[in-house]
Coordinates of all heavy atoms in Angstrom, one line a residue:
K1 N 14.0 -29.8 11.4 CA 13.3 -29.1 10.1 C 13.7 -27.6 10.1 O 13.6 -27.1 11.0 CB 11.8 -29.3 10.2 CG 11.3 -29.3 8.7 CD 9.8 -29.7 8.8 CE 9.0 -29.2 7.4 NZ 8.1 -28.3 7.6
M2 N 14.1 -27.3 8.9 CA 14.4 -25.8 8.7 C 13.2 -24.9 8.7 O 12.2 -25.2 8.2 CB 14.9 -25.7 7.3 CG 16.5 -26.2 7.1 SD 17.7 -25.2 7.9 CE 17.9 -23.9 6.7
K3 N 13.5 -23.9 9.4 CA 12.4 -22.8 9.7 C 12.3 -22.1 8.4 O 13.1 -21.8 7.7 CB 12.8 -21.9 10.8 CG 11.6 -21.3 11.4 CD 11.9 -20.6 12.7 CE 10.7 -20.0 13.3 NZ 10.7 -18.6 13.5
K4 N 10.8 -21.9 8.0 CA 10.7 -21.0 6.9 C 10.1 -19.7 7.2 O 9.5 -19.5 8.2 CB 9.6 -21.8 5.9 CG 10.2 -23.1 5.4 CD 11.0 -23.0 4.3 CE 11.5 -24.3 3.7 NZ 12.5 -24.1 2.7
F5 N 10.4 -18.8 6.2 CA 9.9 -17.4 6.5 C 9.1 -16.9 5.3 O 9.5 -17.2 4.1 CB 11.0 -16.4 6.8 CG 11.7 -16.8 8.0 CD1 12.8 -17.7 7.9 CD2 11.5 -16.2 9.3 CE1 13.5 -18.2 9.1 CE2 12.2 -16.6 10.3 CZ 13.2 -17.6 10.3
K6 N 8.0 -16.2 5.5 CA 7.2 -15.6 4.3 C 7.5 -14.1 4.1 O 7.6 -13.5 5.0 CB 5.7 -15.7 4.8 CG 5.2 -17.1 4.6 CD 4.5 -17.2 3.3 CE 3.9 -18.6 3.0 NZ 3.7 -18.8 1.7
I7 N 7.7 -13.9 2.8 CA 7.9 -12.5 2.5 C 6.7 -11.8 1.8 O 5.9 -12.4 1.0 CB 9.1 -12.5 1.4 CG1 10.3 -12.9 2.1 CG2 9.2 -11.1 0.8 CD1 11.5 -13.0 1.2
K8 N 6.4 -10.5 2.3 CA 5.3 -9.9 1.8 C 5.7 -8.5 1.2 O 6.5 -7.8 1.9 CB 4.3 -9.7 2.8 CG 3.3 -10.9 2.9 CD 2.0 -10.5 3.7 CE 1.1 -11.7 3.9 NZ 0.2 -11.5 5.1
L9 N 5.3 -8.2 0.1 CA 5.6 -6.8 -0.5 C 4.4 -6.1 -0.6 O 3.4 -6.6 -1.3 CB 6.2 -7.0 -1.9 CG 6.4 -5.8 -2.7 CD1 7.5 -4.8 -2.1 CD2 6.7 -6.0 -4.1
D10 N 4.3 -4.8 -0.1 CA 3.2 -3.9 -0.3 C 3.4 -3.2 -1.6 O 4.2 -2.2 -1.7 CB 3.0 -2.9 0.9 CG 1.9 -2.1 0.7 OD1 1.3 -1.9 -0.4 OD2 1.5 -1.5 1.7
K11 N 2.9 -3.6 -2.7 CA 3.1 -3.2 -4.0 C 2.7 -1.7 -4.2 O 3.4 -0.9 -4.9 CB 2.5 -4.0 -5.1 CG 3.4 -4.7 -6.0 CD 2.8 -5.3 -7.2 CE 3.8 -5.5 -8.3 NZ 3.1 -6.3 -9.4
E12 N 1.7 -1.3 -3.5 CA 1.2 0.1 -3.5 C 2.2 1.0 -2.9 O 2.4 2.1 -3.4 CB -0.2 0.1 -2.8 CG -1.4 -0.6 -3.4 CD -1.6 -0.1 -4.9 OE1 -1.7 1.1 -5.1 OE2 -1.8 -1.1 -5.7
A13 N 2.8 0.6 -1.8 CA 3.7 1.4 -1.1 C 5.0 1.5 -1.8 O 5.8 2.5 -1.7 CB 3.9 0.8 0.4
C14 N 5.4 0.5 -2.6 CA 6.7 0.5 -3.3 C 6.9 1.6 -4.2 O 6.0 1.8 -5.0 CB 7.0 -0.8 -3.9 SG 8.4 -1.0 -4.9
I15 N 7.9 2.3 -4.0 CA 8.2 3.5 -5.0 C 9.2 3.1 -6.1 O 9.6 4.1 -6.8 CB 8.8 4.7 -4.1 CG1 10.0 4.4 -3.4 CG2 7.6 5.3 -3.2 CD1 10.7 5.7 -2.7
G16 N 9.7 1.9 -6.1 CA 10.4 1.4 -7.2 C 11.9 2.0 -7.2 O 12.5 2.1 -8.3
C17 N 12.4 2.3 -6.0 CA 13.7 2.9 -5.9 C 14.8 1.8 -6.2 O 15.9 2.2 -6.5 CB 14.0 3.4 -4.4 SG 14.0 2.2 -3.1
G18 N 14.6 0.6 -6.1 CA 15.4 -0.4 -6.4 C 16.6 -0.8 -5.3 O 17.4 -1.6 -5.6
V19 N 16.6 -0.2 -4.2 CA 17.5 -0.4 -3.2 C 17.5 -1.8 -2.6 O 18.6 -2.4 -2.4 CB 17.3 0.6 -2.0 CG1 18.3 0.3 -0.8 CG2 17.6 2.2 -2.5
C20 N 16.3 -2.4 -2.6 CA 16.2 -3.8 -2.0 C 17.0 -4.7 -3.0 O 17.6 -5.8 -2.5 CB 14.9 -4.2 -1.9 SG 13.8 -4.1 -3.4
T21 N 17.0 -4.4 -4.3 CA 17.7 -5.3 -5.2 C 19.2 -5.2 -5.1 O 19.9 -6.1 -5.5 CB 17.3 -5.1 -6.7 OG1 17.7 -3.8 -7.1 CG2 15.8 -5.1 -6.8
S22 N 19.7 -4.1 -4.6 CA 21.1 -4.0 -4.4 C 21.7 -4.6 -3.2 O 22.9 -4.8 -3.1 CB 21.5 -2.4 -4.5 OG 21.1 -1.7 -3.2
V23 N 20.8 -4.9 -2.2 CA 21.4 -5.5 -1.0 C 21.0 -7.1 -0.9 O 21.5 -7.8 -0.2 CB 20.8 -4.9 0.3 CG1 21.3 -3.4 0.4 CG2 19.2 -4.9 0.5
C24 N 20.0 -7.5 -1.8 CA 19.6 -8.9 -1.7 C 19.3 -9.5 -3.0 O 18.3 -8.9 -3.8 CB 18.4 -9.1 -0.8 SG 18.0 -10.8 -0.4
D25 N 19.9 -10.5 -3.5 CA 19.5 -11.1 -4.8 C 18.2 -11.9 -5.0 O 18.0 -12.4 -6.0 CB 20.8 -12.0 -5.3 CG 21.0 -13.3 -4.4 OD1 20.2 -13.5 -3.5 OD2 22.0 -14.0 -4.6
N26 N 17.5 -11.9 -3.8 CA 16.1 -12.4 -3.9 C 15.1 -11.4 -4.6 O 14.0 -11.7 -4.7 CB 15.6 -12.9 -2.6 CG 14.3 -13.7 -2.7 OD1 14.1 -14.5 -3.6 ND2 13.4 -13.4 -1.8
W27 N 15.6 -10.1 -4.7 CA 14.7 -9.1 -5.1 C 15.2 -8.6 -6.6 O 16.3 -8.4 -6.9 CB 14.8 -7.9 -4.2 CG 14.3 -8.3 -2.8 CD1 14.8 -8.9 -1.9 CD2 12.8 -8.1 -2.6 NE1 13.8 -9.2 -0.9 CE2 12.5 -8.7 -1.3 CE3 11.6 -7.5 -3.3 CZ2 11.3 -8.7 -0.7 CZ3 10.5 -7.5 -2.6 CH2 10.3 -8.1 -1.4
I28 N 14.2 -8.5 -7.5 CA 14.4 -7.9 -8.8 C 13.3 -6.9 -9.0 O 12.4 -6.7 -8.2 CB 14.2 -9.1 -9.9 CG1 12.7 -9.7 -9.6 CG2 15.2 -10.2 -9.7 CD1 12.4 -10.7 -10.8
M29 N 13.5 -6.1 -10.0 CA 12.6 -5.0 -10.5 C 11.6 -5.7 -11.6 O 12.2 -6.4 -12.4 CB 13.3 -3.8 -10.8 CG 14.1 -3.2 -9.8 SD 13.1 -2.8 -8.3 CE 12.0 -1.5 -8.8
D30 N 10.4 -5.4 -11.4 CA 9.4 -5.9 -12.5 C 8.4 -4.8 -12.7 O 7.7 -4.4 -11.8 CB 8.8 -7.1 -12.0 CG 7.7 -7.6 -12.9 OD1 7.9 -7.6 -14.1 OD2 6.7 -8.0 -12.4
D31 N 8.5 -4.0 -13.9 CA 7.5 -3.0 -14.2 C 7.6 -1.8 -13.1 O 6.6 -1.4 -12.7 CB 6.1 -3.5 -14.4 CG 5.2 -2.7 -15.2 OD1 5.7 -1.9 -15.9 OD2 4.0 -2.9 -15.2
N32 N 8.8 -1.5 -12.8 CA 9.0 -0.4 -11.9 C 8.6 -0.7 -10.3 O 8.4 0.3 -9.6 CB 8.5 0.9 -12.3 CG 9.3 1.5 -13.5 OD1 10.5 1.4 -13.6 ND2 8.6 1.9 -14.5
K33 N 8.4 -1.9 -10.1 CA 8.1 -2.3 -8.7 C 9.0 -3.5 -8.3 O 9.5 -4.3 -9.2 CB 6.7 -2.7 -8.5 CG 5.5 -1.8 -8.9 CD 5.4 -0.8 -7.7 CE 4.3 0.2 -8.1 NZ 4.1 1.1 -7.0
A34 N 9.4 -3.6 -7.1 CA 10.1 -4.7 -6.6 C 9.3 -5.9 -6.6 O 8.0 -5.9 -6.6 CB 10.6 -4.4 -5.2
K35 N 10.1 -7.1 -6.8 CA 9.3 -8.4 -6.7 C 10.4 -9.4 -6.2 O 11.5 -9.5 -6.5 CB 9.1 -8.7 -8.1 CG 8.3 -10.0 -8.4 CD 7.9 -10.1 -9.9 CE 7.6 -11.5 -10.1 NZ 7.3 -11.8 -11.6
P36 N 9.8 -10.2 -5.2 CA 10.7 -11.2 -4.6 C 10.7 -12.5 -5.5 O 9.6 -12.8 -5.9 CB 10.1 -11.4 -3.1 CG 8.6 -11.1 -3.4 CD 8.5 -10.1 -4.3
K37 N 11.9 -12.9 -5.8 CA 11.9 -14.1 -6.6 C 11.3 -15.3 -5.8 O 10.6 -16.1 -6.5 CB 13.3 -14.6 -7.0 CG 14.0 -13.5 -7.9 CD 15.2 -14.1 -8.6 CE 16.4 -13.5 -7.9 NZ 17.8 -14.1 -8.4
K38 N 11.6 -15.4 -4.5 CA 10.9 -16.4 -3.8 C 10.1 -15.6 -2.6 O 10.7 -14.8 -2.0 CB 12.0 -17.2 -3.0 CG 12.7 -18.1 -3.9 CD 13.4 -19.1 -2.9 CE 14.7 -19.7 -3.6 NZ 15.4 -20.4 -2.6
T39 N 8.8 -16.1 -2.4 CA 8.2 -15.4 -1.4 C 8.2 -16.4 0.0 O 7.8 -16.0 1.0 CB 6.6 -15.3 -1.8 OG1 6.1 -16.6 -2.2 CG2 6.5 -14.3 -2.8
T40 N 8.8 -17.5 -0.1 CA 9.0 -18.4 1.0 C 10.6 -18.7 1.1 O 11.1 -19.2 0.1 CB 8.2 -19.7 1.1 OG1 6.8 -19.4 0.9 CG2 8.5 -20.5 2.3
I41 N 11.1 -18.3 2.3 CA 12.5 -18.4 2.3 C 13.0 -19.3 3.5 O 12.4 -19.3 4.5 CB 13.3 -17.0 2.2 CG1 12.8 -16.2 3.4 CG2 13.1 -16.3 0.9 CD1 13.6 -15.1 3.8
S42 N 14.3 -19.8 3.4 CA 14.7 -20.6 4.6 C 15.5 -19.6 5.5 O 15.7 -18.4 5.1 CB 15.7 -21.7 3.9 OG 16.8 -21.0 3.6
E43 N 15.9 -20.1 6.6 CA 16.7 -19.3 7.5 C 18.0 -18.8 7.0 O 18.4 -17.6 7.2 CB 16.9 -20.1 8.7 CG 17.2 -19.4 10.1 CD 16.9 -20.1 11.3 OE1 16.6 -21.3 11.2 OE2 16.9 -19.4 12.4
K44 N 18.5 -19.6 6.1 CA 19.8 -19.2 5.3 C 19.7 -18.0 4.5 O 20.6 -17.2 4.3 CB 20.3 -20.3 4.4 CG 21.4 -21.2 5.1 CD 22.1 -22.1 3.9 CE 21.2 -22.7 2.9 NZ 21.7 -23.8 2.0
E45 N 18.5 -17.8 3.9 CA 18.2 -16.6 3.1 C 17.8 -15.5 3.8 O 17.5 -14.5 3.2 CB 17.2 -17.2 2.0 CG 17.8 -18.2 1.1 CD 16.7 -19.0 0.3 OE1 15.6 -19.5 1.0 OE2 16.7 -19.1 -0.8
L46 N 17.5 -15.6 5.1 CA 16.8 -14.5 5.8 C 17.7 -13.3 5.9 O 17.1 -12.2 5.8 CB 16.5 -15.1 7.3 CG 15.7 -14.2 8.2 CD1 14.4 -13.9 7.6 CD2 15.6 -14.9 9.5
K47 N 19.1 -13.5 6.0 CA 19.8 -12.3 6.3 C 19.7 -11.2 5.3 O 19.4 -10.0 5.7 CB 21.3 -12.7 6.4 CG 22.2 -11.6 6.9 CD 23.7 -12.2 7.4 CE 24.5 -11.2 8.0 NZ 25.2 -10.3 7.0
C48 N 19.9 -11.5 4.0 CA 19.9 -10.4 3.1 C 18.4 -9.8 2.8 O 18.2 -8.6 2.5 CB 20.5 -10.7 1.7 SG 19.6 -11.6 0.5
N49 N 17.5 -10.8 3.0 CA 16.0 -10.3 2.9 C 15.6 -9.3 4.0 O 14.9 -8.4 3.9 CB 15.1 -11.4 2.8 CG 15.1 -12.2 1.5 OD1 14.4 -11.6 0.5 ND2 15.8 -13.2 1.3
K50 N 16.3 -9.7 5.2 CA 16.0 -8.7 6.4 C 16.6 -7.4 6.1 O 16.1 -6.4 6.5 CB 16.7 -9.3 7.7 CG 15.8 -10.3 8.4 CD 14.9 -9.5 9.4 CE 14.0 -10.3 10.2 NZ 12.8 -9.6 10.7
E51 N 17.8 -7.5 5.4 CA 18.5 -6.1 5.0 C 17.6 -5.3 4.1 O 17.5 -4.2 4.2 CB 19.8 -6.5 4.3 CG 21.0 -6.6 5.4 CD 22.2 -7.1 4.7 OE1 22.6 -6.7 3.5 OE2 22.9 -8.1 5.3
A52 N 16.9 -6.1 3.2 CA 16.1 -5.4 2.3 C 14.8 -4.8 3.0 O 14.5 -3.7 2.8 CB 15.6 -6.4 1.3
E53 N 14.4 -5.6 4.0 CA 13.2 -5.1 4.9 C 13.6 -3.9 5.6 O 13.0 -2.9 5.6 CB 12.8 -6.2 5.8 CG 11.6 -5.8 6.8 CD 11.3 -6.9 7.8 OE1 12.4 -7.5 8.4 OE2 10.1 -7.2 8.0
D54 N 14.8 -3.9 6.2 CA 15.3 -2.8 7.0 C 15.7 -1.5 6.1 O 15.4 -0.2 6.5 CB 16.6 -3.1 7.7 CG 16.3 -4.1 8.9 OD1 15.1 -4.2 9.2 OD2 17.3 -4.8 9.3
I55 N 16.2 -1.7 4.9 CA 16.7 -0.6 4.1 C 15.5 0.2 3.3 O 15.6 1.2 2.9 CB 17.9 -1.0 3.2 CG1 18.8 0.1 3.0 CG2 17.4 -1.7 1.9 CD1 20.1 -0.3 2.4
C56 N 14.4 -0.7 3.1 CA 13.4 -0.1 2.3 C 12.9 1.3 2.9 O 12.4 1.2 3.9 CB 12.2 -1.1 2.1 SG 10.7 -0.3 1.1
P57 N 12.9 2.2 2.1 CA 12.6 3.7 2.7 C 11.0 3.7 2.9 O 10.7 4.8 3.8 CB 13.0 4.7 1.5 CG 12.9 3.9 0.3 CD 13.3 2.5 0.7
V58 N 10.3 3.0 2.4 CA 8.8 3.0 2.6 C 8.3 1.9 3.5 O 7.0 1.8 3.5 CB 8.1 3.4 1.4 CG1 8.4 4.7 0.8 CG2 8.1 2.3 0.3
D59 N 9.0 0.9 4.0 CA 8.7 -0.1 4.7 C 7.6 -1.0 4.0 O 6.6 -1.5 4.5 CB 8.0 0.2 6.0 CG 8.9 0.8 7.0 OD1 10.2 0.4 7.0 OD2 8.7 1.6 7.9
A60 N 7.9 -1.3 2.6 CA 7.0 -2.0 1.8 C 7.3 -3.6 2.0 O 6.5 -4.3 1.6 CB 7.3 -1.6 0.3
I61 N 8.4 -3.8 2.6 CA 8.7 -5.3 2.7 C 8.5 -5.8 4.1 O 9.1 -5.1 5.2 CB 10.2 -5.6 2.3 CG1 10.5 -5.2 0.9 CG2 10.7 -7.0 2.6 CD1 12.0 -5.1 0.4
K62 N 7.8 -6.8 4.3 CA 7.7 -7.5 5.6 C 8.1 -8.9 5.6 O 7.5 -9.6 4.7 CB 6.1 -7.3 6.0 CG 5.6 -5.9 6.0 CD 5.9 -5.2 7.4 CE 5.4 -3.8 7.3 NZ 6.2 -2.7 7.6
I63 N 8.7 -9.4 6.6 CA 9.1 -10.7 6.7 C 8.5 -11.4 8.0 O 8.7 -10.9 9.0 CB 10.7 -10.9 6.6 CG1 11.1 -10.3 5.3 CG2 11.0 -12.5 6.7 CD1 12.7 -10.3 5.2
G64 N 7.7 -12.5 7.8 CA 7.1 -13.0 8.9 C 7.5 -14.5 9.1 O 8.0 -15.2 8.1
G65 N 7.2 -15.1 10.2 CA 7.6 -16.5 10.4 C 6.5 -17.5 9.9 O 5.6 -17.1 9.3
Ligands
SF4_1 FE1 10.3 -0.9 -3.5 FE2 11.2 -0.7 -1.0 FE3 12.5 -2.1 -2.8 FE4 12.6 0.3 -3.1 S1 13.4 -0.8 -1.4 S2 12.2 -0.9 -4.8 S3 10.5 0.9 -2.4 S4 10.4 -2.5 -2.0

């Protein structure tokens, strides 16, 4: 069975810079805040979401198992 990962966004922390959307197509902007299209992702989708987590300047993105 494929492992699943949960995505959490701290909307208060998000400064709306849009960088996450440039590194991962799971991220879009909505009303000047980032928004994940999917909040549960597969291992295959982990890589670019991890990049978004790493690149976010305010650590608003957290990915957990
Ligand atoms: Fe918000 Fe972080 Fe995405 Fe910038 S990179 S839009 S601060 S979640």
Side-chain angles (χ1 to χ4, degrees):
K1 196 169 173 251
M2 287 285 278
K3 207 164 176 235
K4 297 279 184 190
F5 300 86
K6 281 270 186 194
I7 294 179
K8 276 193 185 159
L9 169 71
D10 182 344
K11 242 187 162 180
E12 295 300 314
C14 175
I15 56 170
C17 70
V19 174
C20 55
T21 67
S22 71
V23 298
C24 186
D25 64 6
N26 188 43
W27 291 86
I28 56 171
M29 296 307 291
D30 178 42
D31 205 15
N32 291 317
K33 297 281 178 176
K35 186 176 159 183
K37 290 196 254 180
K38 290 192 202 171
T39 53
T40 302
I41 56 165
S42 69
E43 204 154 9
K44 256 198 318 198
E45 296 164 307
L46 189 58
K47 193 170 182 277
C48 82
N49 282 282
K50 272 274 182 202
E51 274 171 42
E53 181 186 41
D54 290 343
I55 208 167
C56 177
V58 293
D59 289 334
I61 299 171
K62 303 277 185 228
I63 302 171

